[in-house]
Amino acid sequence: MKKLLLIDGNSILNRSYFAMYGRNMLSTKEGIYTNAIFGFMNTYEKFIKNEEPSHVLVAFDMKHPTFRHEKYKEYKAGRAKMPDELAMQMPIMKELLDALGIPRLEFKGYEADDIIGTMVKKAKKAGLSVVVLTGDRDMIQLAGENCEIKIPTTSKGSPVVNEFTEKSIIEEYGIEPHKFIEVKALMGDKSDNIPGVSGIGEKTAIKLIAEFGSLENLYENLNKITSASVREKLEADRDNAFLSRELGKIYADCPIEQELDDLIPGNYDEDKLIELFKKLEFNSFIKKYGLSDERNVNIDVNVHDSSEYPEFENAVVYCSMDDKGFPTEASFTDDGINVYILQGEEKIFDALKKLKMVRGHYLKSLFLYLLSKGIELPKPVFDTAAAAYLADALKDTYGVDELAIKYLNMTFSEENGIAGRVSKIYYLEKRMSAVIVDLGMKDLLNDIELPLIEVLASLEYFGFKADSEFLQNFELELTKEIDRIALEVYSETGSEFNINSPLQLGKILFEDMNLPYYKKKKSGYSTNADILEKLAPQYKIASLVLEYRKLSKLKSTYTTGLVKAIASDGRIHSNFRQTVTATGRLSSTEPNLQNLPVRTEIGREIRKAFIPGSDEFLLTSADYSQIELRVLAHVSDDNEMKDAFRRNKDIHTMTAAKVFGVDDRFVTREMRRVAKA
């Protein structure tokens, strides 16, 4: 059976916009917001893959008044204006749909719901099955034989799809889908300013329609309603009930000329699609849709074997590394066309040790290998990953292929993958050098980011000396304290159970001990930290569980975890990454040395495990002195802030003194922390 996928364009765009709202909003360097379009495209692709429709239509609302406004001037009055950041994405979304060959439709005087309702009717008549994709529950009145309503939503932080069929609706609500318009007539709709019957909610409305079937039958049998107050409300708002049904009913007879054959998706407009994807910085979609810009120049790579290899002192290098960080294959070029492939560590090593200057992509891994071989590091002339990070610090990844799509106007004939990669890096350097200059970041790249690669490679290679014995002893102390608290928990509850099990803990706290619960889910009672912190001031058991969890995390993450991370040389070799954070800070992983606890005394103890490499050295700590606040003092011209810095006062201590009404001398560490936050 052929299938028609009907998409409520405004609804899905709106949902996508708010799904990535606030700090997570996506935008291009030119300031074009893209979060709604990005979310819509991902949703569309998912449903196209899952449903495999033969016909597709995306329906949109128009700004013009509809026939409903003629019936009721207050229809949708008071609805908040569409956010500007979303409104600017609407015309681009329509352009993108056209370029993708996806049929779309808007119709003056009618809403997207009416277009969808009309097409559902046409599809059923023609024997097509229908799936309606929307974020609007009003659409469930369209569910029926061969017509399913699907509403994407989020549950527990994960995307889910609520599916409504005629059978599932009857089972859940006890009424047929088409009767939901009768329900809406009674309960109204605040979002659309549909009045309904004052004082009648969804539960009462469903109950009444389940019993009487329609407004007409309900009002003909008001005397059968036992509740006097419900009867009075219905009598008082009779006209509003029938008006509300007219306003809320999806109209299925729009004078639409488009027939079902017009809803078969067409071919892509590749030039327009590439233009839009580049404008939106959706580089992954260019690759996903298999697009290539035929106007671009094709570069043929000449691959040479190792017998022809020249002795480069300055080259672009790309290495494939094994899981131990040793090169298995390497490509070298100095013109982007002639690429020399070396295989085997010995040949690669001989070539690398002759380099005086090097360009590449994520050069740190290469430098780590050179350090392990005791070779003096060549000067990093350019790193395409570091440059891409400076150009756009909000990206998640900076892959060679991804950057080539974004910055290069050329395609590659790649008989050998590693040869093509080193050529891409060569041409990326040429293009991205100009981009970095245009952004005014040349000095930042040359004086900070490139030298930092060498520093981070050295940090990782030499590692941090850790006192394994101290950590093991500390772990024993933590274990003793955890066991002691566990016994105290059992004493308080009167039974032994798995404290780490939220299910068991919830039952003990909220059923056996009758503590007040703030949240209950299908899986049981919530025992997260927020809940326990609310209970802690009154209930000792909550404080004990919080302390148990804190110490257990310290043990698993920071003592057990750090002991496992100590290498055979007695050092911890963390991975420092410079192209991750949007703020320019480093990122530390495997293990994360930036997350070592500092706010509690027991947490600060863990830091004592990091020691100098020998008795000849000391550890020192250095940090910028509140550099952002000094900039703020200058920009804001705040006299108190400027005076504090001139007199070398600690701004957070000064703030805490004012907040807590004490002299600077009596500000505690905790008071300063609160003021800083």
Side-chain angles (χ1 to χ4, degrees), residues 84 143 152 167 176 253 280 368 381 489 491 612 636 654 662:
D84 292 339
K167 182 181 177 183
E176 296 91 338
D253 292 297
L280 297 167
L368 278 167
V381 178
V489 168
S491 175
S636 66
M654 188 182 84
V662 298

Side-chain angles (χ1 to χ4, degrees), residues 531-571:
I531 301 295
L532 294 177
E533 282 165 5
K534 287 179 183 177
L535 296 169
Q538 287 182 278
Y539 301 97
K540 182 181 178 182
I541 182 64
S543 300
L544 289 171
V545 172
L546 284 170
E547 186 68 12
Y548 177 90
R549 285 180 177 176
K550 181 181 75 176
L551 296 181
S552 296
K553 183 176 180 180
L554 283 175
K555 178 186 172 184
S556 62
T557 306
Y558 299 112
T559 56
T560 306
L562 289 176
V563 168
K564 288 180 180 177
I566 299 174
S568 57
D569 60 0
R571 292 172 174 267

Side-chain angles (χ1 to χ4, degrees), residues 389-390 393 448-449 452 577-587:
Y389 171 66
L390 288 184
I448 294 180
E449 295 297 334
L452 181 61
R577 299 185 293 171
Q578 70 186 103
T579 62
V580 174
T581 68
T583 60
R585 294 186 178 212
L586 289 178
S587 168

